[in-house]
Amino acid sequence: MDSYFPIVIDIHEKKCLVVGGGEVATRKVESLLQAGAEVTVISPEAGDSIREWAQDGRLHWRNEVFSENDVTEFAFVIAATNQSEVNYAVYEAVRQSGGWVNIVDRPDLCNFILPSVVKRGKLTISVSTSGASPGLARKIKQTIEQEIGPEYEEYVDFLARIRQQVLAEVDNHGQRKKIFRELLQDRFVEASEAERYAMAAELVKNVAEEYVGRQL
């Protein structure tokens, strides 16, 4: 496939299947669990993490080999075994049912792919090479992780709260636009939480006074 349409979707409580129980499958399962998916793993063997998650009730592990009838109830299916014939069988089963399938290391068989992701709270940054080079995607992800630090989690929460406040209290579109633009300055990222809100209050006040001054 030459290109993919990038999309961010809500898979909370969606039924997702991972075929395989090794390291690669574990990484896929972990990502799905973090997104709140309802995960089933089908594999005769499973690593420690998958076993622990199953024991804790975070996922359902079916200790058995894959069957083509296993895919029909799932919104998304990921094949992550080390057996190419099993992965291809998963692909064929999902293709016939018209579902969404990702075959690890076979982008030509995927109708969706999983990008490298950097998460900072509500902020999600994804990197994809459309399956051409997962290694390059991981390298770029590492660069982003260095540039976009953990401080962005609180900063994005701050922006969300201030946005709702401004929308409720500031009627003028031009004023809103200027406030939102100024809130993106690095000084707000680098400030402490208390400083951010004080600076935001001062910003809203100054923009309002500037607007009134123009009307006089």
Side-chain angles (χ1 to χ4, degrees):
M1 187 173 292
D2 293 332
S3 62
Y4 291 83
F5 181 74
I7 186 172
V8 180
I9 63 172
D10 179 7
I11 63 170
H12 182 71
E13 295 185 347
K14 294 292 189 299
K15 292 184 177 181
C16 299
L17 171 64
V18 176
V19 181
E23 292 183 9
V24 175
T26 298
R27 292 199 297 270
K28 306 303 182 184
V29 168
E30 184 174 21
S31 296
L32 292 171
L33 291 176
Q34 289 174 349
E38 183 179 322
V39 180
T40 294
V41 174
I42 295 178
S43 177
E45 300 291 339
D48 291 341
S49 294
I50 290 177
R51 291 174 181 269
E52 290 174 7
W53 293 328
Q55 290 173 358
D56 293 341
R58 297 185 61 192
L59 58 78
H60 177 51
W61 173 36
R62 288 163 52 180
N63 184 359
E64 59 192 43
V65 297
F66 171 77
S67 167
E68 64 180 14
N69 297 322
D70 290 331
V71 303
T72 55
E73 64 180 290
F74 296 99
F76 297 94
V77 179
I78 299 173
T81 79
N82 58 3
Q83 302 176 44
S84 58
E85 65 275 12
V86 174
N87 290 345
Y88 192 81
V90 174
Y91 160 74
E92 282 289 344
V94 180
R95 184 181 65 83
Q96 292 178 23
S97 68
W100 293 96
V101 63
N102 174 273
I103 309 298
V104 174
D105 293 334
R106 286 294 304 272
D108 56 310
L109 300 181
C110 301
N111 56 17
F112 81 94
I113 56 176
L114 301 174
S116 291
V117 175
V118 176
K119 289 281 291 182
R120 297 290 184 258
K122 295 182 179 68
L123 177 62
T124 301
I125 306 171
S126 62
V127 181
S128 172
T129 60
S130 297
S133 176
L136 177 59
R138 286 192 294 270
K139 179 180 178 181
I140 295 173
K141 171 189 173 181
Q142 292 170 356
T143 300
I144 293 173
E145 287 175 328
Q146 294 174 1
E147 293 294 325
I148 307 297
E151 68 275 7
Y152 274 83
E153 180 170 349
E154 289 185 355
Y155 173 58
V156 174
D157 288 340
F158 156 78
L159 290 177
R161 296 190 190 100
I162 292 298
R163 177 178 176 81
Q164 293 304 312
Q165 179 183 331
V166 171
L167 290 175
E169 299 177 2
V170 180
D171 294 328
N172 184 271
H173 176 73
Q175 288 180 264
R176 289 178 178 177
K177 186 175 181 180
K178 182 168 184 178
I179 292 169
F180 293 149
R181 184 172 61 247
E182 290 296 321
L183 290 172
L184 300 180
Q185 298 295 320
D186 287 344
R187 61 193 179 96
F188 284 95
V189 180
E190 298 163 356
S192 68
E193 184 174 7
E195 289 172 337
R196 285 188 186 121
Y197 285 98
M199 292 161 58
E202 184 70 17
L203 171 62
V204 172
K205 176 184 175 182
N206 291 341
V207 171
E209 290 177 350
E210 179 184 339
Y211 177 77
V212 171
R214 289 179 179 177
Q215 305 307 304
L216 298 178

